[in-house]
Short mmCIF file of all heavy atoms in Angstrom, two decimals:
data_model
loop_
_atom_site.label_atom_id
_atom_site.label_comp_id
_atom_site.label_asym_id
_atom_site.label_seq_id
_atom_site.Cartn_x
_atom_site.Cartn_y
_atom_site.Cartn_z
N VAL A 10 -0.40 15.30 -0.47
CA VAL A 10 -0.47 16.50 -1.28
C VAL A 10 -0.70 17.69 -0.37
O VAL A 10 -1.77 17.86 0.20
CB VAL A 10 -1.54 16.41 -2.37
CG1 VAL A 10 -1.49 17.65 -3.26
CG2 VAL A 10 -1.29 15.15 -3.22
N ASP A 56 7.06 41.90 -8.63
CA ASP A 56 7.45 42.22 -7.38
C ASP A 56 6.48 43.17 -6.54
O ASP A 56 6.88 44.00 -5.78
CB ASP A 56 8.89 42.97 -7.36
CG ASP A 56 9.96 42.12 -7.88
OD1 ASP A 56 9.91 40.90 -7.68
OD2 ASP A 56 10.77 42.55 -8.64
N GLU A 79 -11.49 57.99 11.59
CA GLU A 79 -12.43 58.02 12.64
C GLU A 79 -13.73 57.21 12.30
O GLU A 79 -14.23 56.49 13.15
CB GLU A 79 -12.88 59.51 12.88
CG GLU A 79 -11.84 60.34 13.65
CD GLU A 79 -12.35 61.74 13.95
OE1 GLU A 79 -13.62 61.96 13.88
OE2 GLU A 79 -11.53 62.54 14.31
N ILE A 84 -17.64 52.75 12.71
CA ILE A 84 -18.45 51.73 12.04
C ILE A 84 -18.17 50.34 12.72
O ILE A 84 -19.01 49.55 12.92
CB ILE A 84 -18.17 51.64 10.54
CG1 ILE A 84 -18.73 52.95 9.88
CG2 ILE A 84 -18.74 50.36 9.89
CD1 ILE A 84 -18.39 53.04 8.44
N LEU A 91 -19.45 57.65 22.22
CA LEU A 91 -20.26 57.83 23.35
C LEU A 91 -19.57 57.23 24.65
O LEU A 91 -19.77 57.76 25.71
CB LEU A 91 -21.61 57.14 23.12
CG LEU A 91 -22.56 57.90 22.15
CD1 LEU A 91 -23.78 57.01 21.92
CD2 LEU A 91 -23.04 59.18 22.69
N GLN A 122 -35.27 68.46 34.52
CA GLN A 122 -34.62 67.70 33.40
C GLN A 122 -33.33 68.33 33.01
O GLN A 122 -33.22 69.58 32.75
CB GLN A 122 -35.56 67.63 32.23
CG GLN A 122 -35.02 66.60 31.12
CD GLN A 122 -36.00 66.63 29.92
OE1 GLN A 122 -36.54 67.67 29.52
NE2 GLN A 122 -36.31 65.43 29.48
N LEU A 132 -34.00 62.15 21.03
CA LEU A 132 -33.48 60.99 20.27
C LEU A 132 -34.60 59.94 20.21
O LEU A 132 -34.83 59.26 19.15
CB LEU A 132 -32.20 60.39 20.87
CG LEU A 132 -31.58 59.12 20.16
CD1 LEU A 132 -31.16 59.49 18.80
CD2 LEU A 132 -30.49 58.56 20.99
N ALA A 134 -37.63 60.45 20.05
CA ALA A 134 -38.66 60.91 19.21
C ALA A 134 -38.28 60.84 17.69
O ALA A 134 -39.19 61.07 16.89
CB ALA A 134 -39.06 62.31 19.58
N GLY A 137 -38.07 55.96 13.31
CA GLY A 137 -37.20 54.96 12.75
C GLY A 137 -37.49 54.66 11.32
O GLY A 137 -36.61 54.30 10.52
N GLY A 150 -31.98 56.43 -0.35
CA GLY A 150 -30.99 56.51 -1.45
C GLY A 150 -29.58 55.95 -1.19
O GLY A 150 -28.80 55.67 -2.06
N GLY A 174 -25.35 60.95 28.60
CA GLY A 174 -26.44 61.96 28.80
C GLY A 174 -26.44 62.43 30.22
O GLY A 174 -26.70 63.62 30.52
N ARG A 184 -24.93 69.99 23.15
CA ARG A 184 -24.73 70.12 21.67
C ARG A 184 -23.73 69.02 21.16
O ARG A 184 -23.88 68.41 20.15
CB ARG A 184 -24.21 71.46 21.27
CG ARG A 184 -25.34 72.54 21.39
CD ARG A 184 -24.93 73.80 20.64
NE ARG A 184 -23.78 74.47 21.28
CZ ARG A 184 -23.86 75.41 22.22
NH1 ARG A 184 -25.04 75.69 22.79
NH2 ARG A 184 -22.75 75.97 22.69
N ALA A 197 -23.92 53.01 13.10
CA ALA A 197 -24.61 51.76 13.41
C ALA A 197 -25.35 51.29 12.12
O ALA A 197 -25.42 50.15 11.80
CB ALA A 197 -25.56 51.82 14.56
N LEU A 267 -3.12 32.93 -0.63
CA LEU A 267 -4.23 33.36 -1.51
C LEU A 267 -3.85 33.22 -2.98
O LEU A 267 -4.69 32.82 -3.78
CB LEU A 267 -4.57 34.82 -1.15
CG LEU A 267 -5.68 35.40 -1.97
CD1 LEU A 267 -7.00 34.60 -1.82
CD2 LEU A 267 -5.86 36.86 -1.62
N ASP A 269 -1.95 31.12 -4.47
CA ASP A 269 -1.95 29.75 -4.97
C ASP A 269 -3.36 29.37 -5.29
O ASP A 269 -3.63 28.71 -6.32
CB ASP A 269 -1.39 28.78 -3.89
CG ASP A 269 0.11 28.83 -3.77
OD1 ASP A 269 0.73 29.49 -4.52
OD2 ASP A 269 0.57 28.11 -2.87
N ARG A 276 -5.39 28.25 -13.65
CA ARG A 276 -4.47 27.31 -14.40
C ARG A 276 -4.28 25.99 -13.65
O ARG A 276 -3.21 25.43 -13.56
CB ARG A 276 -3.12 27.95 -14.51
CG ARG A 276 -3.17 29.23 -15.36
CD ARG A 276 -1.76 29.93 -15.56
NE ARG A 276 -1.82 31.03 -16.48
CZ ARG A 276 -2.21 32.28 -16.11
NH1 ARG A 276 -2.49 32.53 -14.82
NH2 ARG A 276 -2.20 33.20 -16.99
N HIS A 285 -1.44 13.66 -11.48
CA HIS A 285 -1.79 12.45 -12.20
C HIS A 285 -0.46 11.68 -12.51
O HIS A 285 -0.39 10.43 -12.28
CB HIS A 285 -2.55 12.72 -13.49
CG HIS A 285 -3.02 11.51 -14.21
ND1 HIS A 285 -2.23 10.68 -14.99
CD2 HIS A 285 -4.24 10.92 -14.25
CE1 HIS A 285 -3.02 9.64 -15.39
NE2 HIS A 285 -4.21 9.80 -14.97
N SER A 301 -6.28 21.05 2.31
CA SER A 301 -6.71 22.32 1.89
C SER A 301 -6.79 22.37 0.30
O SER A 301 -7.49 21.59 -0.30
CB SER A 301 -5.79 23.42 2.36
OG SER A 301 -6.40 24.70 2.24
N GLY A 323 -5.27 2.71 -9.61
CA GLY A 323 -4.63 2.43 -8.27
C GLY A 323 -5.15 3.15 -7.08
O GLY A 323 -4.93 2.88 -6.00
N GLN A 413 -8.97 3.68 10.21
CA GLN A 413 -10.35 3.06 10.08
C GLN A 413 -10.85 3.02 8.67
O GLN A 413 -11.37 2.03 8.25
CB GLN A 413 -11.29 3.84 10.97
CG GLN A 413 -12.70 3.32 11.00
CD GLN A 413 -13.64 4.15 11.84
OE1 GLN A 413 -13.18 5.12 12.54
NE2 GLN A 413 -14.89 3.80 11.86
#
Side-chain angles (χ1 to χ4, degrees):
V10 182
D56 297 323
E79 284 188 15
I84 291 172
L91 290 171
Q122 188 179 44
L132 181 63
R184 288 197 294 272
L267 178 61
D269 285 357
R276 297 181 174 85
H285 190 281
S301 194
Q413 179 182 357

